[in-house]
């Protein structure tokens, strides 16, 4: 019996695959299992083959795993639109045929007889392949069943009923979730379909397959959250109440979540004309005394380069989030990549500095977004949270208690009017807002427009302590040095006063190291587990602090291993380049394992990359990943 | 009580309060029209009863952008073309602030053109003063969006092939609820128009003709102007869109021929400002957002209040 279920539901996009899978994942979570969802979708709105995968087990699941063991293939209803036939061709069969390669031995296939004919099935050699792979195939007329009791779209529900029966699952959680989501006749119809599909399957089919739903055992309540939810909620708890944006996949999710929740919590959301405006609005709101944020994906972030620099020079606190997708340019809008790292670290003119965090999982996304706000407002510096399409869309369960903490609406290094009275002013009564004389950690406290005694000029030009444009060399050096000091102070605070934002895996005394960042973390963690189980000696570090860089921790890690492999989703080894730049050594110790085909790493690919690298052969791993050998310093 | 004491303070305001002591002295060229804008603002602000601390002036980049360096209010000298988005957000964050944005014709109609259209469309309650000298001043005399056709400059040596932009008509079409044109050479009218623009609840666009004696010697801003409100030759209803549009077209046509018409062109008093509209649909809080951070009793909703839908 398998210790995990990886259920894939496939169909046309726009066919309700998303909501069905979301509910099914929640039902599994409510039965006590840990879950992880992965969504694959093409860059089009309706039609086109799409799938969602849910991995569930009675242990932490951090990646989608390798392949899957249950396919619910619904057929693409949109492919049957007669007017569109010419375009869609044989899309109907795709939810079945396109998914077979990754189905594990002994796996289950349920397909919709009502949509996919026996001829179609023969055309893709399903029976032959099933025999070879020991697959158990269950054709069910899901469409017919749904039509009989309600409407055709409810065939998703029928599919869930069949799934539950085959896996020997209680229907209770599924029913509850349905009652939460709908009511009246629609609920009635769905429940009928669910039960009939369930009973029918139990009566008509034998249960020779080994797959069942594993037994789960959560002790505390869980919540199913995506990375976008985690970032949005991190912002809310940090006291963020202003967001400005322009839609761009995948950042749109964060923008949407905050726009939907802000009206109820007294926040303001603005959809504006472009990303330059979006970031400039966030700067304006922050200047006027609100915790504000903006964000985008690569192309939109490129436009934000200007306001980002403005925030830095005027020392206006700001949080931007950047959700990476495959580039360059418009690239692949619905595919993840980790190739905007250098873009985010170095964009904008001058000796520009900002804080950059790269969370690797849902909890980190929440915590590091909060941290980004805290640091941005304490140090009056822009902070960026960089993540990707994968983390943005994947859902995992989080212990509800993890969130039980105070919100932080405090504006950091901002003075009250009483404090302003004591502060330094020039002889015309202007507040020395950019005072470099006794600034602590590089921070000169600020005032908010409208406060008495706080008048000053904020400017993107170099400026004097009260904010007048000033090109005097001594002032320039003093101001630059003060601003530069911030990053060092932040590094010191992160090292000394806070829990590490880096995450470690495997035995401390291992000989071999794997280094990664961002959403690749989960697959790396699982690969390390497998390698150690096979008798290798491997440990890992997932780095979140990109700027200021986690210098101490990465140095210690690299010093402690004989060799290391840096795993990241891009073609030019950007993160490895950052390590070499920041630490100035270790180039000859690090090999890169790279993937940039639009799909995230799977654990087996990392295991294979490790093996190929260790064997020191002149070959590449078989999958679409690439090894780039150590560089030498 | 407001978290910002300086807001809503009632007292006699001395013009000198807007002048920041001895420094810095304006670095504009002698005879520059920008002095005129500075002067009219300094006159208008006390007149509308605004203290320096309740005013935020937001400028772009250019000679014009230096306006708030010489004005003793809260100020934000932003980047080229971006004064409006910064100003809009400051007003949304704290509606009690008096927000005045300013910049040049290159800054506002060129690089910031997109923001101009959308700010007008949304009718944000801010005042926008564009120093229209029909040239790029700070970068030394290149053609601007309002330079006349045929205008020769170092970057368009054979004379510009482009028809100049029509700022008044553009902002009316885009949705501004107050549109006027004035000129540095007419300080009284300029002061009155700016005071009106500040008091107007909505997007008030003032196209301010400013001469640039250094780079645009033959600009028409030097010639005598006609005030359309004062002259019997021009009779139109400033509350009527169609009449205003017609008058603006004429104004913009004759400018090319050397006649300068100034005055109020369009005033729409009853149109709600953007934050009122936003409030009406439930997307704008009652209390100024910025104030909450200083309010110890403010209730802060938390994300885990939202978690239920995920369990
Ligand atoms: C992004 C960007 N592009 C170009 C410039 C250079 N620049 C500074 S001022 C200016 C033109 C200013 O012209 P205008 O807005 O008409 O103002 P004026 O100087 O005439 O008052 C330009 C192009 C800049 N600072 N930033
Ligand atoms: S260059 Fe022209 S606009 Fe600029 S200060 Fe001189 S006269 Fe004024």
């Amino acid at each position: 019996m398998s210790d995990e279920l990886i259920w894939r539901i496939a169909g046309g996009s726009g066919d309700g695959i998303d909501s069905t899978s979301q509910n099914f994942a929640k039902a599994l979570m409510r039965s006590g299992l840990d879950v992880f969802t992965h969504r694959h979708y093409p860059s089009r709105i309706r039609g086109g083959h799409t799938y969602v995968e849910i991995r569930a087990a009675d242990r932490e699941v951090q990646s989608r795993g390798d392949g899957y063991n249950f396919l619910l293939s619904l057929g693409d209803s949109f492919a049957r639109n007669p007017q569109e036939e010419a375009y869609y061709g044989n899309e109907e069969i795709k939810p079945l045929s396109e998914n077979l390669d990754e189905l594990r031995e002994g796996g289950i296939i349920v397909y919709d007889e009502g949509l996919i004919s026996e001829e179609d099935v023969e055309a893709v050699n399903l029976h032959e392949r099933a025999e070879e792979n020991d697959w158990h195939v269950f054709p069910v007329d899901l469409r017919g069943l749904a039509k009989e009791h309600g409407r055709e779209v409810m065939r998703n529900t029928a599919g869930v009923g069949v799934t539950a029966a085959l896996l020997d699952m209680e229907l209770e959680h599924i029913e509850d979730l349905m009652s939460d989501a709908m009511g009246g006749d629609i609920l009635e119809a769905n429940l009928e379909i669910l039960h009939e599909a369930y009973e029918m399957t139990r009566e008509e089919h034998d249960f020779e397959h080994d797959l069942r739903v594993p037994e789960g055992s959560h002790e505390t309540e869980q919540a199913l959250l995506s990375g976008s939810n985690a970032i949005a909620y991190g912002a809310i708890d940090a006291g963020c109440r202003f967001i400005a944006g322009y839609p761009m996949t995948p950042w749109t999710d964060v923008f949407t979540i905050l726009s939907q929740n802000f009206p109820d919590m007294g926040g303001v959301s603005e959809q504006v004309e472009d990303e330059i405006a979006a970031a400039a609005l966030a700067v304006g709101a922050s200047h006027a005394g609100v915790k504000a944020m903006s964000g985008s994906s690569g192309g939109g972030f490129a436009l934000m380069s200007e306001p980002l620099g403005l925030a830095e020079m005027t020392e206006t606190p700001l949080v931007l989030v950047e959700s990476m997708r495959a580039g360059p340019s418009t690239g692949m809008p619905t595919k993840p990549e980790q190739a905007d790292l250098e873009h985010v670290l170095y964009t904008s003119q001058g000796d520009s500095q900002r804080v950059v965090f790269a969370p690797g999982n849902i909890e980190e996304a929440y915590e590091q977004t909060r941290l980004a706000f805290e640091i941005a407002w304490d140090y009056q510096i822009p902070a960026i949270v960089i993540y990707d399409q994968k983390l943005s869309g994947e859902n995992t369960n989080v212990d509800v208690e993890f969130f039980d903490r105070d919100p932080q609406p405090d504006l950091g290094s901002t003075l009250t009017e009483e404090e302003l009275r004591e502060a330094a002013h020039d002889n015309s009564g202007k507040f020395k807002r950019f005072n470099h004389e006794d600034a602590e950690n590089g921070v000169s406290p600020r005032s908010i427009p409208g406060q008495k005694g706080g008048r000053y000029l904020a400017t993107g030009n170099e400026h004097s302590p009260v904010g007048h444009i000033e090109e005097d060399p001594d002032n320039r050096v003093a101001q630059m040095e003060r601003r530069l000091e911030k990053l060092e102070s932040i590094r010191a605070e992160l090292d000394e006063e806070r829990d590490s934002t880096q995450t470690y895996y495997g035995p401390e005394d291992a000989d071999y190291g794997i280094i990664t960042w961002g959403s690749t973390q989960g697959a790396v963690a699982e690969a390390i587990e497998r390698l150690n189980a096979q008798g290798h000696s491997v440990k890992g570090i997932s780095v979140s602090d990109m700027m200021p860089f986690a210098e101490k921790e990465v140095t210690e890690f690299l010093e402690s291993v004989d060799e290391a492999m840096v795993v990241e989703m891009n073609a030019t080894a950007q993160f490895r380049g950052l390590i070499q730049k920041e630490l100035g050594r270790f180039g000859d110790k690090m090999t890169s394992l790279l993937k940039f085909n639009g799909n995230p790493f799977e654990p087996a690919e990392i295991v294979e990359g490790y093996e190929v690298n260790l064997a020191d052969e002149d070959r590449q791993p078989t999958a679409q990943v690439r090894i780039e050998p150590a560089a030498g310093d | 009580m407001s978290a910002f004491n300086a807001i809503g303070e009632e007292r006699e305001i001395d013009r000198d309060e807007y002048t920041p002591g001895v420094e810095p002295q304006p670095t504009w060229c002698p005879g520059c029209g920008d002095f005129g804008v500075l002067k009219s603002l300094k006159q208008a602000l006390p007149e509308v009863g605004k203290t320096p601390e309740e005013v935020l002036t937001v400028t772009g980049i250019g000679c014009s952008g230096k306006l708030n360096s010489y004005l003793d209010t809260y100020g934000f000298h932003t980047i080229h073309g971006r004064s409006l988005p910064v100003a809009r957000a400051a007003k949304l964050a704290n509606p009690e602030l008096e927000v005045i944005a300013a910049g040049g014709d290159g800054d506002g109609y060129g690089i910031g053109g997109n923001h101009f259209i959308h700010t007008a469309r949304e009718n944000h309650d801010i005042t926008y003063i564009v120093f229209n000298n029909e040239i790029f001043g700070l970068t030394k005399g290149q053609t601007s969006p309002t330079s006349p056709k045929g205008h020769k400059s170092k970057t368009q040596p054979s004379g510009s092939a482009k028809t100049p932009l029509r700022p008044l008509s553009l902002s009316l079409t885009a949705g501004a609820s107050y549109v006027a044109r004035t000129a540095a050479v007419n300080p009284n009218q300029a002061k009155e128009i700016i005071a009106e623009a500040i008091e107007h609840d909505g997007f008030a666009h003032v196209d301010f003709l400013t001469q640039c004696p250094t780079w645009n010697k033959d600009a028409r801003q030097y010639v005598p102007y006609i005030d359309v409100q004062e002259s019997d030759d021009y009779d139109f209803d400033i509350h009527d869109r169609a009449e205003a549009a017609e008058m603006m077209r004429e104004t913009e046509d004759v400018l090319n021929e050397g006649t300068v018409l100034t005055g109020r062109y369009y005033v729409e008093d009853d149109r709600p400002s953007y934050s009122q509209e936003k409030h009406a649909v439930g997307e704008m809080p009652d209390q100024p957002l910025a104030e909450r951070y200083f309010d110890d009793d403010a209730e802060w909703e938390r994300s885990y209040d939202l978690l239920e839908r995920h369990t």
Side-chain angles (χ1 to χ4, degrees):
Chain A
M1 194 168 135
S2 170
D3 67 337
E4 64 177 6
L5 166 70
I6 307 182
W7 186 75
R8 183 183 284 193
I9 178 172
S13 63
D15 276 350
I17 302 277
D18 242 0
S19 52
T20 307
S21 59
Q22 188 78 6
N23 263 354
F24 191 60
K26 257 195 198 173
L28 291 166
M29 178 184 81
R30 285 187 179 183
S31 74
L33 293 164
D34 276 9
V35 291
F36 180 98
T37 73
H38 164 77
R39 184 166 174 236
H40 169 102
Y41 61 106
S43 186
R44 65 194 252 188
I45 306 307
R46 292 217 43 141
H49 163 242
T50 168
Y51 68 76
V52 179
E53 218 167 75
I54 301 170
R55 188 180 186 195
D58 186 29
R59 57 180 154 78
E60 201 182 351
V61 280
Q62 306 183 59
S63 75
R64 54 185 288 217
D66 306 297
Y68 67 103
N69 51 22
F70 192 120
L71 172 66
L72 172 61
S73 162
L74 292 174
D76 184 349
S77 70
F78 203 64
R80 284 177 296 107
N81 181 337
Q83 278 150 357
E84 307 275 354
E85 215 140 39
Y87 295 100
Y88 290 126
N90 68 347
E91 296 255 311
E92 188 92 11
I93 186 76
K94 276 190 179 174
L96 181 62
S97 62
E98 294 268 301
N99 288 292
L100 296 177
D101 288 347
E102 288 172 286
L103 182 61
R104 289 185 192 167
E105 234 180 71
I108 296 180
I109 298 172
V110 174
Y111 73 84
D112 189 348
E113 258 185 326
L115 286 173
I116 301 169
S117 71
E118 185 55 34
E119 282 149 46
D120 285 339
V121 170
E122 263 158 35
V124 296
N125 286 335
L126 181 66
H127 300 304
E128 249 170 68
R129 293 184 70 178
E131 198 144 319
E132 271 166 34
N133 291 294
D134 189 24
W135 290 335
H136 304 264
V137 183
F138 300 95
V140 186
D141 183 8
L142 302 170
R143 181 187 174 202
L145 208 156
K147 256 185 157 167
E148 201 179 299
H149 292 273
R151 284 189 294 131
E152 197 181 317
V153 288
M154 295 180 184
R155 66 191 198 285
N156 295 358
T157 303
V160 171
V162 175
T163 300
L166 290 173
L167 295 174
D168 228 350
M169 217 176 141
E170 301 279 334
L171 288 181
E172 170 201 345
H173 296 306
I174 298 168
E175 291 165 347
D176 285 354
L177 285 159
M178 281 184 170
S179 330
D180 287 350
M182 46 191 138
D185 291 350
I186 301 205
L187 175 64
E188 286 300 307
N190 270 292
L191 287 176
E192 265 173 43
I193 294 168
L194 181 75
H195 283 130
E196 184 165 341
Y198 188 81
E199 296 305 333
M200 200 177 80
T201 312
R202 293 184 75 95
E203 279 161 28
E204 287 178 18
H205 292 286
D206 54 38
F207 287 82
E208 280 173 3
H209 57 273
D210 289 336
L211 193 63
R212 297 290 182 274
V213 177
E215 237 168 86
S217 59
H218 290 142
E219 277 165 22
T220 47
E221 195 180 13
Q222 304 289 307
L224 187 66
L225 286 192
S226 70
S228 301
N229 282 129
I231 286 173
Y233 293 176
I236 289 172
D237 286 356
C240 173
R241 289 296 181 276
F242 188 98
I243 188 165
Y246 190 82
M248 184 166 185
T249 306
W251 123 270
T252 313
D253 288 347
V254 171
F255 185 27
T256 310
I257 296 167
L258 287 175
S259 303
Q260 287 177 346
N261 287 305
F262 270 176
D264 289 336
M265 40 181 72
V268 170
S269 162
E270 275 288 285
Q271 184 188 317
V272 295
E273 58 270 25
D274 59 33
E275 287 88 349
I276 309 178
L281 260 97
V283 169
S286 170
H287 178 76
V290 177
K291 281 191 167 174
M293 76 184 282
S294 184
S296 193
S297 300
F301 187 79
L303 296 183
M304 295 181 166
S305 168
E306 261 195 324
L308 175 69
L310 177 68
E312 197 204 330
M313 190 54 146
T314 56
E315 304 186 51
T316 309
L318 174 70
V319 170
L320 296 177
V321 299
E322 215 262 49
S323 185
M324 295 176 282
R325 62 191 217 183
S329 193
T330 310
M332 294 197 277
T334 63
K335 301 291 173 197
E337 200 166 81
Q338 296 177 304
D340 291 348
L341 179 62
E342 291 178 348
H343 178 46
V344 160
L345 286 172
Y346 308 124
T347 187
S348 197
Q349 65 270 39
D351 288 316
S352 174
Q353 295 195 303
R354 75 286 319 256
V355 174
V356 181
F357 290 123
N361 61 39
I362 308 291
E363 275 118 332
E364 288 181 9
Y366 172 83
E367 298 228 288
Q368 288 170 25
T369 304
R370 267 172 68 107
L371 185 60
F373 274 93
E374 209 179 312
I375 288 186
W377 264 260
D378 280 351
Y379 289 88
Q380 306 171 5
I381 190 170
I384 299 169
V385 178
I386 181 172
Y387 60 114
D388 61 40
Q389 188 269 354
K390 174 178 179 307
L391 182 59
S392 147
E394 70 196 16
N395 282 269
T396 42
N397 57 298
V398 182
D399 198 326
V400 167
E401 274 170 22
F402 169 80
F403 293 93
D404 202 12
R405 58 200 72 198
D406 285 336
Q408 294 202 327
D410 111 75
L411 290 182
S413 51
T414 305
L415 299 179
T416 59
E417 289 189 337
E418 293 82 75
E419 289 165 333
L420 274 169
R421 238 176 277 142
E422 308 292 315
H425 290 76
D426 76 355
N427 47 17
S428 73
K430 270 200 169 170
F431 167 48
K432 289 193 176 171
R433 185 255 180 275
F434 303 103
N435 204 352
H436 49 73
E437 268 148 33
D438 44 25
E440 208 181 306
N441 293 335
V443 181
S444 51
R446 64 181 197 139
S447 62
I448 301 295
Q451 280 183 315
K452 213 169 183 167
R455 270 177 301 113
Y456 75 99
L457 179 70
T459 168
N461 286 53
E462 187 56 273
H463 45 267
S464 71
V466 293
H468 290 148
I469 299 172
E470 174 70 75
E471 295 189 343
D472 171 71
D474 291 339
N475 175 73
R476 160 70 175 179
V477 172
Q479 293 288 15
M480 270 306 280
E481 281 182 344
R482 181 178 60 73
R483 289 190 297 262
L484 293 175
E485 198 189 322
K486 292 183 190 180
L487 227 51
E488 288 162 39
S489 315
I490 295 167
R491 183 70 265 155
E493 180 181 331
L494 291 172
D495 285 342
E496 286 151 30
E497 289 167 41
R498 292 179 181 276
D499 291 342
S500 172
T501 22
Q502 283 47 258
T503 311
Y504 294 88
Y505 298 97
E508 238 174 83
D509 58 355
D511 307 326
Y512 192 93
I514 297 184
I515 308 182
T516 194
W517 68 286
S519 74
T520 306
Q521 186 192 91
V524 164
E526 198 166 331
I528 288 174
E529 223 168 84
R530 287 190 207 173
L531 286 168
N532 285 309
Q534 289 166 20
H536 295 282
S537 170
V538 186
K539 65 177 178 175
I541 181 173
S542 167
V543 183
S544 289
D545 299 358
M546 300 287 144
M547 192 188 274
F549 189 67
E551 196 179 317
K552 204 169 110 223
E553 289 167 284
V554 179
T555 302
E556 279 169 12
F557 185 87
L558 277 164
E559 276 175 346
S560 73
V561 293
D562 301 335
E563 222 183 300
M565 184 165 79
V566 185
V567 184
E568 54 183 323
M569 270 191 285
N570 61 57
T572 53
Q574 297 188 13
F575 180 55
R576 174 170 136 193
L578 176 69
I579 301 174
Q580 281 174 239
K581 172 180 179 289
E582 290 286 335
L583 304 183
R585 58 195 177 114
F586 298 121
D588 53 358
K589 242 187 193 183
M590 291 185 288
T591 304
S592 280
L593 184 68
L594 306 170
K595 185 173 183 182
F596 47 91
N597 68 357
N599 293 319
F601 271 106
E602 289 178 29
E605 291 171 332
I606 297 164
V607 169
E608 197 194 355
Y610 168 88
E611 284 160 356
V612 171
N613 185 38
L614 260 208
D616 222 14
E617 283 168 22
D618 201 12
R619 72 170 170 107
Q620 287 290 324
T622 45
Q624 285 188 10
V625 292
R626 213 180 72 197
I627 283 193
E628 196 181 278
D633 279 322
Chain B
M1 197 191 71
S2 167
F4 305 96
N5 272 337
I7 291 183
E9 198 183 358
E10 280 191 31
R11 58 183 173 84
E12 277 287 309
I13 301 149
D14 189 322
R15 225 190 99 179
D16 289 343
E17 284 188 45
Y18 292 93
T19 313
V22 273
E23 276 188 321
Q25 291 300 317
T27 56
W28 292 317
C29 311
C32 175
D34 294 5
F35 287 103
V37 187
L38 178 63
K39 191 170 154 206
S40 8
L41 246 181
K42 280 189 191 168
Q43 288 173 333
L45 282 167
E47 202 157 286
V48 298
K50 294 296 170 192
T51 68
E53 275 155 340
E54 49 190 329
V55 177
L56 175 66
T57 43
V58 185
T59 57
I61 296 293
C63 299
S64 51
K66 293 182 181 170
L67 175 79
N68 50 7
S69 299
Y70 316 133
L71 193 71
D72 211 1
T73 59
Y74 271 101
F76 201 153
H77 179 225
T78 63
I79 38 180
H80 196 41
R82 317 295 168 209
S83 62
L84 288 176
V86 172
R88 266 150 62 180
K91 184 74 185 179
L92 290 169
N94 189 354
E96 290 177 7
L97 275 179
E98 195 57 62
V99 179
I100 299 168
D105 43 278
D107 182 80
Y109 303 148
I111 190 165
N114 195 22
H115 309 310
F116 176 56
I117 294 169
H118 289 276
T119 312
R121 163 169 88 99
E122 292 166 12
N123 196 32
H124 288 266
D125 182 16
I126 58 183
T127 303
Y128 186 39
I129 305 169
V130 181
F131 296 49
N132 184 359
N133 56 10
E134 299 181 2
I135 196 110
F136 282 14
L138 195 69
T139 45
K140 304 193 169 172
Q142 299 81 4
T143 313
S144 99
T146 48
S147 299
K149 197 168 180 177
H151 176 265
K152 285 188 181 167
S153 72
K154 285 183 197 151
T155 49
Q156 263 134 305
S158 317
S160 168
K162 303 178 192 192
T163 308
L165 188 108
R166 295 164 162 265
L168 306 175
S169 304
L170 178 62
S171 80
L172 180 78
T173 310
S177 54
Y178 182 98
V179 186
R181 171 176 271 173
T182 187
V185 285
N186 183 8
N188 287 333
Q189 185 205 45
K191 181 196 75 181
E192 278 170 26
I193 283 184
I194 287 184
E196 265 175 35
I198 292 172
E199 286 186 316
H200 176 76
D201 291 332
F203 186 63
H205 169 217
V206 179
D207 185 69
F208 204 123
L209 300 172
T210 53
Q211 68 275 19
C212 171
T214 307
W215 303 113
N216 205 8
K217 291 189 171 38
D218 40 40
R220 283 166 301 273
Q221 287 94 315
Y222 293 116
V223 303
Y225 66 92
I226 298 159
D227 184 328
V228 292
Q229 262 86 39
E230 300 287 313
S231 162
D232 294 338
D233 296 342
Y234 304 96
D235 179 29
F236 68 104
D237 179 0
I238 57 167
H239 301 294
D240 185 300
R241 276 192 94 81
E243 288 187 29
E246 188 48 46
M247 192 60 224
M248 284 177 189
R249 182 157 10 154
E250 186 176 340
T251 300
E252 285 164 337
D253 282 343
V254 295
L255 186 66
N256 295 329
E257 287 147 24
T259 313
V260 181
L261 303 184
T262 62
R264 294 103 173 134
Y265 287 87
Y266 184 62
V267 181
E268 189 178 357
D269 288 320
D270 46 7
R271 176 165 169 212
S273 71
Y274 181 63
S275 47
Q276 285 167 331
E277 302 265 26
K278 210 170 159 66
H279 190 264
V281 298
E283 288 192 350
M284 202 48 203
D286 296 329
Q287 185 192 18
L289 204 48
E291 215 170 88
R292 291 186 62 178
Y293 293 85
F294 295 87
D295 178 356
D296 292 338
D297 300 327
E299 291 262 332
W300 289 85
E301 296 82 353
R302 290 161 284 204
S303 75
Y304 47 85
D305 302 335
L306 304 171
L307 279 187
E308 230 165 75
R309 60 181 86 140
H310 300 278
T311 56

